[in-house]
Amino acid sequence: MRNLLGFSFLSLLLWCCSSDYGRKNPESEKVVLDSLMLDAKSQLGRMEFEEAVVALDNILGLSERINDPDYKIRAHNISGSIYSTYNLHDEALENYFQSLEISEREKIDKYLNSIYNNIGISYAINASMEQAADYFGRALEISRARNDSVRTALNLTNLSNCLNELGLRDSSLICLKESLKLYGKLGKSIGYLATLNNIGNVFDQICVRDSALFYYHESYKGAGVKEDPKSISVASLNLAQMYSQSGDFEKALSYIDKSIDGFTMLKDGDNLVSSYKAASEIALGKGENQASVNFLNEALNLQDSLT
């Protein structure tokens, strides 16, 4: 499943300890905890797991010492995001549900949209699509009630992915087109490009090739304007696969090279594997058997290194 977008209501964590850290003054400790949580989002994925464990201990330990429910909610939600980054999804869900439990007990609802969305992402990653759709639907209900266009668009995109995985293509398209309209009003962000791509995916799955190509091309053009390498690479891969399936191997080749170069630069192993496999099919279609074997070997070797 592509482009499942995550939203966290927090930014996260400074990895150095401030001189305020050891103080017992609750207000001083709140300042420190805010700082710890503030920089974590920017650091996620760029630190070793051992560093993340230290961060988790600091955040959760300090939130317990402060004993403020608002801080406990935020700390557990952030901790869930940290665990999720390292593919520890059971631990992530445990923290998200602790955050949810405190929110419901203390009647603090301002973080529910984020919590529901994060729970949905964890269930989706674990392929529990019905449960994921339930929580994305809860998040969507809140964002609609608050007239929050940004979160509404994001919740719709996530919900649409689950509906698509459940085979509910028409419902998925309805969500995606509403999301696209909202993203368009918000300035055609990366979310807009991802949604164009997702609409293309659905049309591809129901074999409406012309519509799929239209949305993939729109995503590709928009990515070029934004100069976003991930969006360009994803759109290039989709276009290469579409043209390869239709037997237009020259057009496919013009896109697959961009896909391979982009995902290599981004160090995106999973999508690079898909790109090498697509390149193998294109080379085979062009009658270049040795090149096809070489690309397939690249894909298999990289795939083995990722497991």
Side-chain angles (χ1 to χ4, degrees), residues 31-279:
V31 170
V32 175
L33 185 53
D34 280 331
S35 294
L36 286 171
M37 293 190 291
L38 186 63
D39 195 47
K41 187 174 182 180
S42 65
Q43 296 292 335
L44 283 179
R46 296 192 298 185
M47 57 183 165
E48 298 297 325
F49 179 68
E50 291 75 11
E51 294 177 284
V53 170
V54 172
L56 284 165
D57 288 344
N58 287 341
I59 290 171
L60 291 174
L62 193 50
S63 71
E64 287 297 321
R65 197 159 78 204
I66 292 171
N67 198 29
D68 181 318
D70 188 285
Y71 278 84
K72 286 183 179 181
I73 292 166
R74 294 164 60 197
H76 281 293
N77 201 31
I78 285 177
S79 297
S81 296
I82 294 174
Y83 278 122
S84 182
T85 300
Y86 296 94
N87 298 315
L88 297 169
H89 300 297
D90 290 342
E91 291 85 348
L93 274 173
E94 181 182 346
N95 275 276
Y96 292 145
F97 277 116
Q98 284 183 280
S99 188
L100 179 58
E101 179 186 348
I102 299 167
S103 296
E104 292 175 340
R105 185 179 67 240
E106 301 293 337
K107 302 188 186 316
I108 299 173
D109 63 2
K110 59 185 174 181
Y111 304 125
L112 285 177
N113 181 282
S114 173
I115 297 166
Y116 286 148
N117 191 67
N118 288 342
I119 291 172
I121 289 172
S122 288
Y123 275 131
I125 290 170
N126 285 327
S128 301
M129 292 302 164
E130 290 184 359
Q131 290 165 299
D134 176 28
Y135 280 95
F136 288 140
R138 296 186 198 193
L140 177 60
E141 186 177 341
I142 291 172
S143 55
R144 285 195 196 280
R146 293 174 179 170
N147 293 315
D148 187 334
S149 296
V150 174
R151 295 191 188 198
T152 298
L154 185 143
N155 297 147
L156 281 164
T157 300
N158 285 348
L159 178 59
S160 73
N161 278 319
C162 294
L163 295 173
N164 188 41
E165 290 292 318
L166 292 167
L168 303 171
R169 314 288 189 214
D170 290 343
S171 297
S172 177
L173 278 173
I174 288 170
C175 289
L176 284 169
K177 288 182 177 180
E178 183 182 350
S179 177
L180 187 68
K181 188 179 295 186
L182 287 169
Y183 276 127
K185 291 177 180 177
L186 293 167
K188 298 190 176 181
S189 63
I190 301 304
Y192 179 83
L193 301 178
T195 304
L196 285 169
N197 178 69
N198 286 354
I199 294 174
N201 289 343
V202 177
F203 279 122
D204 184 21
Q205 288 165 343
I206 61 177
C207 300
V208 183
R209 182 175 181 275
D210 288 346
S211 294
L213 273 173
F214 171 79
Y215 283 101
Y216 288 150
H217 273 296
E218 288 297 299
S219 180
Y220 180 81
K221 286 189 291 186
V225 171
K226 282 282 184 184
E227 297 183 348
D228 179 63
K230 179 64 177 283
S231 298
I232 292 170
S233 301
V234 169
S236 296
L237 174 57
N238 287 334
L239 286 167
Q241 289 171 328
M242 288 290 293
Y243 283 120
S244 177
Q245 289 164 13
S246 67
D248 193 340
F249 298 112
E250 289 301 326
K251 275 190 177 178
L253 186 63
S254 70
Y255 286 108
I256 199 61
D257 288 341
K258 295 173 185 175
S259 172
I260 290 173
D261 289 345
F263 289 129
T264 299
M265 180 190 71
L266 293 165
K267 298 181 180 179
D268 185 337
D270 290 333
N271 277 316
L272 188 54
V273 168
S274 297
S275 297
Y276 281 136
K277 287 181 178 178

